[in-house]
Amino acid sequence: KAGVTQTPRYLIKTRGQQVTLSCSPISGHRSVSWYQQTPGQGLQFLFEYFSETQRNKGNFPGRFSGRQFSNSRSEMNVSTLELGDSALYLCASSLLGTHEKLFFGSGTQLSVL
Amino acid sequence: AQSVTQPDIHITVSEGASLELRCNYSYGATPYLFWYVQSPGQGLQLLLKYFSGDTLVQGIKGFEAEFKRSQSSFNLRKPSVHWSDAAEYFCAVGERSKLIFGAGTRLAVHP
């Protein structure tokens, strides 16, 4: 069974641009969560989608958005990039998403210049 | 608000020595507790989890953790560390459909 796939692996953008990150969950998993990891703030929850519906959202500005498609693949978008958005963005999938084992992808490393 | 504290930012042990990584949580109800490990350039892998029942939980790679409600702790232990255990370890508490992570403990293993 293939694991969680995140693309691209690395991304370099400049301030003011927007970016879209993609996540393909493990086959059969309906829940996809996104986390931001930075040296200063650690791992922080962005949002969680289940069957195309956002079920939970973290404390991030509206520039951060996401969506989930009918095949459970998910995308997150960050508009008007700021230097502080530089981070490792991790996607995790699970069957139901409620306090169960999460399977994480290797992440997308975003650098904002 | 729920929170997780990992008091040790860095720990260095010798290969073959025992290991204990500390984790304290703040949570009103019975917590769902997790330990994840992250190797450089990789995502996180679940080591073990506690939901209820036996307070001593066995995980993968020879790790175990003990839930102590009176101390609000969920410390991770391993009796004999291998060089391949060098990584960053995160304790987390589950709230609704999200995880709240501690800041992590980076483990170095000396030969």
Side-chain angles (χ1 to χ4, degrees), chain B residues 10-25:
Chain B
H10 291 98
I11 283 184
T12 301
V13 300
S14 298
E15 192 169 16
S18 63
L19 172 70
E20 182 169 30
L21 302 183
R22 296 183 292 164
C23 173
N24 294 97
Y25 65 90

Side-chain angles (χ1 to χ4, degrees), chain B residues 2 4 12 21 24 30 32-33 35 38-39 57 61 70 85 88 93 97 99 102 104 109:
Chain B
Q2 291 77 6
V4 177
T12 301
L21 302 183
N24 294 97
T30 300
Y32 293 84
L33 294 163
W35 274 100
Q38 185 178 33
S39 298
V57 181
K61 305 185 180 186
S70 61
D85 293 325
E88 189 153 21
V93 63
S97 55
L99 292 176
V109 180

Side-chain angles (χ1 to χ4, degrees), chain A residues 85-107:
Chain A
D85 297 333
S86 295
L88 179 66
Y89 290 89
L90 292 166
C91 166
S93 79
S94 66
L95 280 170
L96 299 175
T98 51
H99 304 312
E100 56 176 338
K101 181 177 181 178
L102 296 184
F103 292 82
F104 282 83
S106 297

